[in-house]
């Protein structure tokens, strides 16, 4: 099957070079969004067949299969079809298909052109039908200039509010609406506070420009800086132990971290800030801890931690990303049961880490529970790390694999 993918803007009177006009005149089967059809209909030849690109996308490709006998399918796509565009979808769905692309400027390029802003150093994030993860990562990594593709959920206002909620306030937001349409195009320069309280026409895109690059992101957050559970400092993994724990988890090479028994969220938050590529799922049985982890995430600028409250053993984990690193911060004496549930989803190269406290008044030693669970489930233990801080009880950092 052969596809010719032509990039267009929102201009109601599009201009095409002679080569592309000849392709359109000789075409039989065309495809694109409904707004593309409204723009292109005067140029389509008599008797042309049009296939709307709508969800579910599999139905669209079924129509392409049926229309394949009519020659090349001519697809119209916004901007550059290879820039988060439909040409990539064709390559994914039909890897054997022949594809020819005639691009035009994408929306972020057009916005930069209107602003006379160099964009060779701009990091691009798409939120169009995608989660916040890569956007959050750009914030944490303090990207100086970020171009953002939006959708009806991830609007400029929603983006601005998320940034304000997590302390990323020193940015200028540039918004381009209906770029390429002479009668509707609008450019706006705003503070985040202004953007958070405005409505914007779709389609639009955003460029964020940070005013100051420096951000106070310490290597190890002081324990006293966290909001605590009932003000109890003993309910937080101490900073030196926290950093050693993250090192034991080998997070630079991991993708998904599960933090079981997060309490204040110190492990999740420290991991999010130091390794912003991670996807983090945090679990805690005590409902009052949910507000605490959210407060700490806002306090330290760590968006994107997915929080689950309730008993981990009855939590539905079927739709969550498979972890390749798991930290167990609390187990309630049911460590073997927790291990068994983790092992149903743990990646083949994944690891489990837990800190065992040697407390003389504890009836059942957590190290004993760990050893018994590892032996019963045939898990391979790595050499433990023993450490003691000041007058606190000794701690052993434990790690195992399949």
């Amino acid at each position: 099957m052969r596809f010719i993918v032509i990039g267009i803007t929102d201009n109601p009177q599009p201009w095409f070079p002679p080569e592309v006009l000849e392709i359109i005149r000789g075409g039989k089967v065309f495809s694109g969004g409904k707004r593309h059809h409204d723009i292109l209909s005067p140029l389509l030849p008599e008797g042309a067949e049009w296939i709307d690109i709508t969800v579910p996308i599999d139905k669209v490709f079924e129509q392409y299969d049926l229309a394949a006998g009519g020659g090349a399918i001519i697809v119209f796509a916004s901007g550059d079809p290879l820039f988060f565009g439909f040409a990539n979808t064709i390559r994914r769905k039909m890897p054997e298909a022949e594809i020819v692309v005639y691009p035009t400027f994408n929306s972020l390029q057009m916005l930069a052109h209107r602003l006379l802003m160099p964009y060779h150093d701009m990091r691009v994030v798409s939120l169009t039908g995608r989660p916040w993860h890569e956007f959050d990562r750009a914030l944490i990594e303090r990207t100086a200039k970020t171009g953002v593709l939006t959708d009806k959920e991830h609007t400029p206002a929603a983006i601005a509010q998320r940034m304000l909620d997590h302390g990323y306030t020193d940015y200028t937001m540039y918004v381009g609406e209906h770029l390429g349409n002479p009668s509707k195009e609008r450019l706006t320069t705003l503070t985040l506070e202004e953007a958070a309280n405005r409505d914007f026409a779709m389609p639009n895109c955003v460029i964020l420009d940070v005013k100051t690059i420096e951000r106070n992101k310490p290597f190890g957050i002081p324990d006293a800086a966290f909001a605590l559970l009932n003000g109890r400092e003993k309910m937080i993994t101490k900073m030196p132990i926290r950093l050693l724990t993250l090192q034991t988890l080998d997070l630079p090479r991991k993708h998904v971290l599960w933090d079981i028994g997060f309490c204040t969220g110190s492990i999740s938050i420290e991991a999010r800030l130091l390794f912003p590529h991670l996807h983090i799922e945090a679990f805690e049985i005590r409902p009052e801890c949910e507000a605490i982890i959210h407060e700490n995430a806002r306090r330290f600028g760590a968006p994107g931690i997915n929080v689950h409250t309730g008993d981990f053993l009855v939590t539905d984990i079927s739709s969550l990303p498979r972890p390749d690193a798991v930290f167990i911060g609390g187990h309630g004496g049911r460590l073997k049961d927790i291990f068994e549930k983790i092992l149903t989803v743990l990646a083949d190269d994944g690891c489990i880490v837990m800190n065992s406290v040697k407390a003389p008044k504890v009836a059942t030693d957590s190290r004993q529970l760990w050893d018994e669970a590892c032996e019963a489930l045939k898990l391979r233990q790595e050499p433990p790390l023993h450490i003691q801080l000041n007058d606190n009880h000794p701690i052993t950092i434990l790690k195992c694999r399949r």
Side-chain angles (χ1 to χ4, degrees):
M1 190 176 297
R2 185 168 188 260
F3 290 88
I4 300 174
V5 190
I6 301 170
I8 65 170
T9 69
D10 274 0
N11 194 318
Q13 296 181 324
W15 178 90
F16 296 109
E19 179 183 0
V20 173
L21 286 174
E22 192 63 29
I23 291 170
I24 295 172
R25 294 189 190 104
K28 294 182 180 179
V29 182
F30 299 84
S31 185
K34 291 185 177 181
R35 86 173 189 274
H36 298 147
H37 183 256
D38 293 339
I39 293 172
L40 273 300
S41 56
L43 298 178
L44 300 182
E46 186 176 349
E49 177 185 355
W50 182 274
I51 299 172
D52 277 327
I53 297 177
T54 58
V55 292
I57 204 69
D58 287 342
K59 295 290 185 182
V60 177
F61 280 86
E62 289 175 8
Q63 294 180 69
Y64 290 164
D65 279 327
L66 295 174
I73 297 175
I74 302 171
V75 179
F76 295 97
S78 296
D80 182 348
L82 288 169
F83 182 78
F84 298 98
F86 197 71
N88 298 317
T89 304
I90 297 172
R91 293 182 67 194
R92 186 176 70 253
K93 293 286 187 180
M94 295 184 167
E96 303 302 320
E98 178 188 352
I99 304 174
V100 178
V101 173
Y102 292 90
T104 190
F105 292 120
N106 64 62
S107 59
L108 288 173
Q109 287 176 311
M110 287 194 289
L111 179 54
H113 295 163
R114 303 295 191 271
L115 298 170
L116 293 179
M117 176 186 290
Y119 59 89
H120 58 275
D121 57 345
M122 182 168 67
R123 178 170 176 175
V124 176
V125 172
S126 176
L127 291 175
T128 306
R130 292 172 168 85
W132 288 104
H133 180 76
E134 289 301 321
F135 177 76
D136 293 341
R137 180 178 179 179
L139 289 181
I140 294 169
E141 293 178 348
R142 201 56 170 171
T143 304
K145 188 184 299 177
T146 307
V148 187
L149 300 175
T150 64
D151 64 14
K152 292 181 180 179
E153 177 183 352
H154 305 91
T155 64
I159 291 167
Q161 190 60 59
R162 188 174 185 85
M163 296 173 71
L164 292 170
D165 286 345
H166 290 89
Y168 294 93
T169 57
D170 53 338
Y171 286 75
T172 299
M173 176 180 282
Y174 303 94
V175 182
E177 302 164 82
H178 286 294
L179 293 171
N181 187 323
S183 63
K184 295 183 178 181
E185 181 175 292
R186 183 170 66 171
L187 308 177
T188 316
T189 302
L190 310 109
T191 65
L192 295 182
E193 289 80 4
E194 291 169 338
N197 293 288
R198 291 208 26 191
D199 293 325
F200 298 89
M202 293 291 293
N204 61 59
C205 64
V206 165
I207 293 178
L208 294 165
D209 195 12
V210 69
K211 298 173 185 175
T212 56
I213 298 297
E214 294 299 322
R215 179 178 172 88
N216 182 23
K217 190 175 76 172
F219 181 75
I221 303 170
D223 301 332
F226 283 93
L228 301 172
L229 176 62
N230 299 325
R232 296 162 63 188
E233 291 187 12
K234 292 184 178 181
M235 299 298 290
I236 186 173
T237 303
K238 299 297 186 292
M239 188 252 286
I241 306 297
R242 195 159 63 238
L243 296 179
L244 282 171
T245 300
L246 298 183
Q247 186 275 333
T248 305
L249 286 161
D250 194 21
L251 295 181
R253 297 193 296 173
K254 302 302 183 182
H255 302 283
V256 180
L257 169 66
W258 283 17
D259 179 6
I260 300 173
F262 63 73
C263 192
T264 61
S266 63
I267 288 286
S268 289
I269 289 168
E270 197 86 70
R272 187 77 178 110
L273 295 177
L274 294 177
F275 309 102
H277 69 281
L278 285 174
H279 294 266
I280 300 179
E281 307 292 332
F283 304 85
E284 173 58 54
I285 195 169
R286 292 166 291 197
E288 62 269 29
C289 290
E290 182 172 3
I292 295 173
I293 192 173
H294 286 310
E295 166 61 26
N296 284 325
R298 287 191 292 269
R299 186 175 294 186
F300 302 113
I305 298 170
N306 299 316
V307 175
H308 313 270
T309 54
D311 188 344
F312 174 75
L313 291 175
V314 298
T315 298
D316 182 8
I317 60 174
S318 59
S319 62
L320 301 181
R322 294 181 64 193
D324 50 8
V326 177
F327 174 69
I328 300 177
H331 54 79
R334 300 178 295 172
L335 190 58
K336 182 174 178 289
D337 295 334
I338 292 173
F339 269 36
E340 289 176 337
K341 185 165 185 174
I342 292 169
L343 291 175
T344 64
V345 293
L346 185 68
D348 292 339
D349 61 344
C351 67
I352 304 172
V353 171
M354 186 180 82
N355 297 335
S356 172
V357 181
K358 185 65 175 178
K361 295 183 180 181
V362 176
T364 304
D365 189 274
S366 58
R367 175 64 188 272
Q368 179 184 341
L369 294 176
W370 173 276
D371 289 339
E372 291 173 353
C374 288
E375 182 178 359
L377 299 172
K378 296 179 169 38
L379 298 174
R380 175 170 52 90
Q381 295 199 54
E382 297 192 2
L385 176 63
H386 305 283
I387 187 170
Q388 182 171 1
L389 296 179
N390 302 323
D391 296 328
N392 296 309
H393 296 307
I395 292 175
T396 302
I397 300 178
L398 304 166
K399 181 176 183 179
C400 68
R401 301 180 184 272
R402 291 183 185 275

